Amino acid sequence: IAHQASRSSHGGFAMSAGVFPGTLEEQGNGNLWEGDFHPTMIALARLLEPVSIAIKDTHPGRAYATKEFEWAGQRTWGVSTESSDRRTVYLHILRPPSARILTLGPTEDGTELDIATARLVKGGASVPMRKNDSGYEIALPHGAEWDAVNTVIAVRRR
Protein backbone atom coordinates (compact mmCIF):
# COMPACT_ATOMS: atom_id res chain seq x y z
CA ILE A 1 0.00 0.00 0.00
CA ALA A 2 2.88 2.39 0.76
CA HIS A 3 4.32 1.72 -2.70
CA GLN A 4 0.95 2.41 -4.31
CA ALA A 5 0.59 5.63 -2.29
CA SER A 6 4.05 6.71 -3.47
CA ARG A 7 2.98 6.37 -7.08
CA SER A 8 -0.68 7.25 -7.61
CA SER A 9 -1.84 10.83 -7.87
CA HIS A 10 -5.31 9.72 -8.92
CA GLY A 11 -6.63 7.98 -5.85
CA GLY A 12 -5.74 5.41 -3.29
CA PHE A 13 -5.58 1.71 -2.78
CA ALA A 14 -8.41 -0.09 -4.58
CA MET A 15 -9.11 -3.78 -4.76
CA SER A 16 -11.69 -5.84 -6.47
CA ALA A 17 -13.75 -7.20 -3.62
CA GLY A 18 -17.33 -7.43 -2.63
CA VAL A 19 -19.80 -9.31 -0.58
CA PHE A 20 -20.69 -12.87 -1.42
CA PRO A 21 -24.08 -13.10 -3.12
CA GLY A 22 -26.46 -14.95 -0.89
CA THR A 23 -27.79 -14.85 2.64
CA LEU A 24 -26.16 -14.98 6.06
CA GLU A 25 -27.63 -18.42 6.61
CA GLU A 26 -25.78 -19.73 3.54
CA GLN A 27 -22.41 -18.55 4.82
CA GLY A 28 -20.43 -20.73 7.19
CA ASN A 29 -18.40 -17.77 8.43
CA GLY A 30 -21.46 -15.87 9.69
CA ASN A 31 -21.17 -12.88 7.37
CA LEU A 32 -21.55 -12.04 3.72
CA TRP A 33 -17.84 -11.60 3.05
CA GLU A 34 -16.32 -14.46 1.16
CA GLY A 35 -13.86 -16.64 3.07
CA ASP A 36 -11.46 -14.80 5.37
CA PHE A 37 -11.62 -11.49 3.49
CA HIS A 38 -13.24 -9.53 6.32
CA PRO A 39 -10.78 -10.53 9.08
CA THR A 40 -7.89 -10.05 6.65
CA MET A 41 -8.96 -6.46 5.98
CA ILE A 42 -9.32 -5.84 9.72
CA ALA A 43 -5.77 -7.13 10.25
CA LEU A 44 -4.50 -4.91 7.41
CA ALA A 45 -6.18 -1.87 8.96
CA ARG A 46 -4.47 -2.64 12.29
CA LEU A 47 -1.07 -2.83 10.55
CA LEU A 48 -1.63 0.49 8.81
CA GLU A 49 -3.08 2.44 11.74
CA PRO A 50 0.23 3.41 13.42
CA VAL A 51 1.56 4.86 10.15
CA SER A 52 -1.70 5.93 8.54
CA ILE A 53 -0.72 9.62 8.54
CA ALA A 54 2.01 8.71 6.03
CA ILE A 55 -0.41 6.87 3.72
CA LYS A 56 -3.84 8.50 3.98
CA ASP A 57 -4.37 11.93 2.42
CA THR A 58 -0.80 12.04 1.08
CA HIS A 59 0.80 12.69 -2.27
CA PRO A 60 3.43 10.68 -4.12
CA GLY A 61 6.91 11.66 -3.00
CA ARG A 62 8.86 14.18 -5.05
CA ALA A 63 11.91 14.08 -2.81
CA TYR A 64 12.42 10.38 -3.61
CA ALA A 65 10.05 9.67 -6.48
CA THR A 66 8.82 6.26 -7.54
CA LYS A 67 9.51 5.94 -11.25
CA GLU A 68 6.91 5.00 -13.82
CA PHE A 69 6.52 1.21 -14.17
CA GLU A 70 8.72 0.62 -11.13
CA TRP A 71 7.57 -1.91 -8.53
CA ALA A 72 8.50 -2.13 -4.85
CA GLY A 73 11.04 -4.92 -5.38
CA GLN A 74 13.13 -2.64 -7.57
CA ARG A 75 13.59 -0.03 -4.86
CA THR A 76 16.77 -0.38 -2.83
CA TRP A 77 15.27 0.93 0.42
CA GLY A 78 11.63 1.90 -0.02
CA VAL A 79 9.43 4.75 -1.16
CA SER A 80 8.39 8.22 -0.11
CA THR A 81 5.08 9.98 0.28
CA GLU A 82 4.41 13.57 1.26
CA SER A 83 1.85 15.37 3.37
CA SER A 84 -0.91 17.17 1.51
CA ASP A 85 0.87 20.52 2.08
CA ARG A 86 4.16 18.99 0.80
CA ARG A 87 6.02 20.15 3.93
CA THR A 88 6.60 16.68 5.40
CA VAL A 89 8.34 13.85 3.58
CA TYR A 90 7.53 10.32 4.78
CA LEU A 91 10.26 7.78 4.12
CA HIS A 92 8.79 4.26 4.05
CA ILE A 93 11.66 1.86 4.70
CA LEU A 94 10.32 -1.28 3.05
CA ARG A 95 13.71 -2.90 2.49
CA PRO A 96 15.79 -2.04 5.54
CA PRO A 97 19.56 -2.34 5.44
CA SER A 98 21.28 -5.06 7.43
CA ALA A 99 22.94 -2.36 9.53
CA ARG A 100 21.29 0.27 11.71
CA ILE A 101 22.15 3.06 9.24
CA LEU A 102 20.37 3.78 5.98
CA THR A 103 22.13 5.88 3.36
CA LEU A 104 20.02 7.93 0.96
CA GLY A 105 21.19 10.05 -1.92
CA PRO A 106 20.28 13.70 -2.18
CA THR A 107 16.63 14.51 -2.74
CA GLU A 108 15.61 14.17 -6.36
CA ASP A 109 13.68 17.44 -6.39
CA GLY A 110 16.59 19.45 -5.00
CA THR A 111 14.93 20.35 -1.70
CA GLU A 112 16.74 20.05 1.60
CA LEU A 113 15.45 18.01 4.50
CA ASP A 114 15.50 19.48 7.99
CA ILE A 115 17.47 16.72 9.71
CA ALA A 116 16.56 18.04 13.18
CA THR A 117 12.90 17.15 12.58
CA ALA A 118 13.36 13.45 11.65
CA ARG A 119 11.22 11.14 13.79
CA LEU A 120 9.64 7.70 13.66
CA VAL A 121 5.98 7.97 12.77
CA LYS A 122 5.19 4.96 14.94
CA GLY A 123 6.02 6.07 18.47
CA GLY A 124 7.44 9.49 17.60
CA ALA A 125 11.05 8.84 18.64
CA SER A 126 13.61 11.29 17.29
CA VAL A 127 15.71 9.79 14.49
CA PRO A 128 19.42 10.63 14.21
CA MET A 129 19.91 11.97 10.70
CA ARG A 130 22.83 13.77 9.14
CA LYS A 131 23.55 15.37 5.80
CA ASN A 132 26.80 14.70 3.96
CA ASP A 133 28.19 15.25 0.46
CA SER A 134 26.41 12.21 -0.97
CA GLY A 135 23.00 12.76 0.62
CA TYR A 136 21.68 11.70 4.00
CA GLU A 137 22.39 9.07 6.63
CA ILE A 138 19.59 7.90 8.86
CA ALA A 139 20.25 5.85 11.99
CA LEU A 140 17.73 3.94 14.00
CA PRO A 141 17.16 5.45 17.44
CA HIS A 142 18.67 3.53 20.37
CA GLY A 143 16.45 0.55 21.22
CA ALA A 144 14.50 0.67 17.93
CA GLU A 145 14.51 -2.01 15.25
CA TRP A 146 13.51 -1.92 11.62
CA ASP A 147 9.82 -2.84 11.44
CA ALA A 148 9.22 -6.01 9.43
CA VAL A 149 6.36 -4.36 7.52
CA ASN A 150 7.17 -0.68 7.18
CA THR A 151 9.40 1.64 9.20
CA VAL A 152 8.24 5.18 8.44
CA ILE A 153 10.34 8.25 9.15
CA ALA A 154 8.81 11.72 8.92
CA VAL A 155 11.10 14.63 8.14
CA ARG A 156 10.20 18.22 7.33
CA ARG A 157 11.49 20.16 4.34
CA ARG A 158 13.56 23.27 4.98
Side-chain angles (χ1 to χ4, degrees), residues 13-35:
F13 175 67
M15 68 170 42
S16 177
V19 295
F20 185 80
T23 64
L24 282 173
E25 293 78 31
E26 294 172 327
Q27 298 304 306
N29 63 3
N31 64 53
L32 290 176
W33 291 106
E34 190 171 1

Side-chain angles (χ1 to χ4, degrees), residues 93 96-102 138-140 144-149 151 153:
I93 316 304
S98 56
R100 296 185 60 79
I101 295 178
L102 173 67
I138 300 170
L140 277 176
E145 297 296 330
W146 297 113
D147 188 289
V149 177
T151 300
I153 297 166

Side-chain angles (χ1 to χ4, degrees), residues 3-151:
H3 184 265
Q4 198 278 333
S6 77
R7 182 76 189 105
S8 174
S9 58
H10 304 293
F13 175 67
M15 68 170 42
S16 177
V19 295
F20 185 80
T23 64
L24 282 173
E25 293 78 31
E26 294 172 327
Q27 298 304 306
N29 63 3
N31 64 53
L32 290 176
W33 291 106
E34 190 171 1
D36 64 351
F37 180 81
H38 188 249
T40 299
M41 290 297 101
I42 290 171
L44 178 61
R46 286 185 183 133
L47 282 174
L48 292 178
E49 184 55 35
V51 295
S52 64
I53 192 171
I55 296 172
K56 296 177 182 177
D57 196 27
T58 60
H59 295 284
R62 293 179 182 165
Y64 297 99
T66 302
K67 311 299 184 267
E68 191 169 359
F69 304 113
E70 182 179 55
W71 60 89
Q74 291 177 301
R75 303 289 294 187
T76 57
W77 58 271
V79 298
S80 72
T81 57
E82 297 177 11
S83 60
S84 58
D85 64 6
R86 299 274 185 194
R87 291 183 185 160
T88 303
V89 175
Y90 298 105
L91 305 170
H92 299 260
I93 316 304
L94 305 175
R95 299 179 74 183
S98 56
R100 296 185 60 79
I101 295 178
L102 173 67
T103 302
L104 299 177
T107 60
E108 295 168 15
D109 64 355
T111 59
E112 250 189 74
L113 302 178
D114 184 355
I115 60 174
T117 66
R119 63 177 172 76
L120 289 175
V121 170
K122 187 177 179 179
S126 180
V127 173
M129 185 172 180
R130 69 182 192 99
K131 187 172 182 347
N132 59 34
D133 292 340
S134 60
Y136 296 92
E137 282 186 358
I138 300 170
L140 277 176
H142 182 70
E145 297 296 330
W146 297 113
D147 188 289
V149 177
N150 184 3
T151 300

